[in-house]
Amino acid sequence: MIVFTPFFFLAPRKMAWFVPKFWAKTHLWLMKIVVGTDHVVIGRENLPDGPYIIAPKHQSAWDTFAFLPWLPDPTLILKRELMWIPLFGWYVKKMDMIAIDRGNRSQAIASVNRGAARAVAQGRQILIYPEGTRRPPGAEPSYKKGVVNLYEKLDVPVVPIAHNAGLYWRRRSFMRYPGTIKVEVLEPIQPGLSGKDFQQALIAATEGACDRQLLDLADDPSAPPLPESARKRVEELRAGSSGDVRASAS
């Protein structure tokens, strides 16, 4: 940040994106070289042209930066406290992110709606984590209404993103495990559904893909150790528990 400061703050926003994207690529490269944690992205062709909402599963610190290199001009919805961090907060402000006060629900919704409408008018991609906070792999989903609100108001596609980064870099943990993180860019959910139907479609697509990824790794001797939430979910899936409960979770 310090080295690139003159270029970053003098360049137009789209050109300045080089700096955060370069940082993200560098971090991904270091994880591969130092830790042995690589990643693969499947379904990049599902990303639409123009503005859209990208809705990733939120399991790890990894998914807060790993998608940046392949998004043309994203805007992130984040808590306003991040804006107060010296230097980092100035970078965030330069990129015109959508900062919200999570302690004031009505004000937060109004801020998101204004910022999202501005981003769509600029042809940008809006990145929002539907569950709001990191959830352990396999944990019962807890999808919030924020993404539903945006879907109903913006009339743009929503692209679900499933991944298993939480197995390789767990939340609130410094430890990283070697292996290959799998990211799936799922088919966009087009505008026009009711809010309820949209939320069910989003949960079913995302959680279904995450469940498949868990099952694929459950018997892999090279996989990282599964946390309790993931082991429990694998047992449920193997016992034939249906996904209907998860499809209706909110």
Side-chain angles (χ1 to χ4, degrees):
M1 284 181 168
I2 294 172
V3 170
F4 280 106
T5 288
F7 166 78
F8 182 82
F9 287 102
L10 292 175
R13 187 189 72 244
K14 288 187 178 181
M15 187 180 297
W17 261 118
F18 166 80
V19 181
K21 290 183 179 183
F22 177 74
W23 173 81
K25 290 177 181 178
T26 302
H27 198 79
L28 292 169
W29 178 79
L30 284 171
M31 286 189 66
K32 180 178 179 180
I33 298 301
V34 177
V35 187
T37 309
D38 201 356
H39 72 285
V40 61
V41 181
I42 300 169
R44 286 269 297 271
E45 66 277 5
N46 287 327
L47 294 173
D49 295 325
Y52 56 88
I53 299 167
I54 182 167
K57 186 71 177 173
H58 197 12
Q59 292 184 348
S60 168
W62 186 90
D63 58 59
T64 63
F65 64 84
F67 311 135
L68 294 181
W70 38 273
L71 295 176
D73 186 19
T75 183
L76 282 67
I77 298 173
L78 43 79
K79 56 185 180 182
R80 66 172 183 173
E81 288 82 359
L82 293 175
M83 305 283 284
W84 303 340
I85 301 173
L87 198 57
F88 177 83
W90 307 338
Y91 264 69
V92 171
K93 185 174 180 61
K94 162 79 175 186
M95 304 319 287
D96 194 18
M97 301 303 180
I98 303 172
I100 61 170
D101 177 4
R102 295 198 297 187
N104 187 326
R105 177 176 171 78
S106 60
Q107 190 177 71
I109 292 174
S111 297
V112 167
N113 289 341
R114 287 194 303 270
R118 183 175 67 250
V120 167
Q122 295 170 339
R124 303 178 69 185
Q125 306 79 46
I126 301 168
L127 193 155
I128 181 172
Y129 298 98
E131 293 178 279
T133 190
R134 288 172 293 175
R135 302 279 294 167
E140 188 73 19
S142 180
Y143 285 63
K144 311 304 182 187
K145 297 297 184 182
V147 68
V148 178
N149 169 65
L150 289 181
Y151 174 82
E152 291 179 320
K153 289 188 176 298
L154 296 180
D155 196 36
V156 296
V158 174
V159 182
I161 304 287
H163 62 86
N164 54 15
L167 297 176
Y168 298 88
W169 183 357
R170 299 183 187 181
R171 63 176 191 157
R172 305 191 185 102
S173 174
F174 178 79
M175 179 66 71
R176 277 78 149 170
Y177 293 93
T180 301
I181 295 170
K182 184 176 182 180
V183 180
E184 293 185 61
V185 182
L186 305 173
E187 291 189 10
I189 301 173
Q190 299 298 331
L193 299 177
S194 68
K196 181 179 179 180
D197 288 344
F198 159 72
Q199 187 177 46
Q200 289 180 344
L202 175 64
I203 295 172
T206 308
E207 298 301 317
C210 288
D211 283 345
R212 291 194 300 273
Q213 292 176 3
L214 270 182
L215 286 173
D216 287 344
L217 287 174
D219 295 321
D220 186 344
S222 64
L226 299 183
E228 178 61 29
S229 56
R231 291 197 298 270
K232 180 180 177 182
R233 183 56 181 163
V234 168
E235 291 173 0
E236 292 173 352
L237 292 167
R238 286 176 170 170
S241 300
S242 86
D244 294 343
V245 173
R246 295 207 155 187
S248 62
S250 62

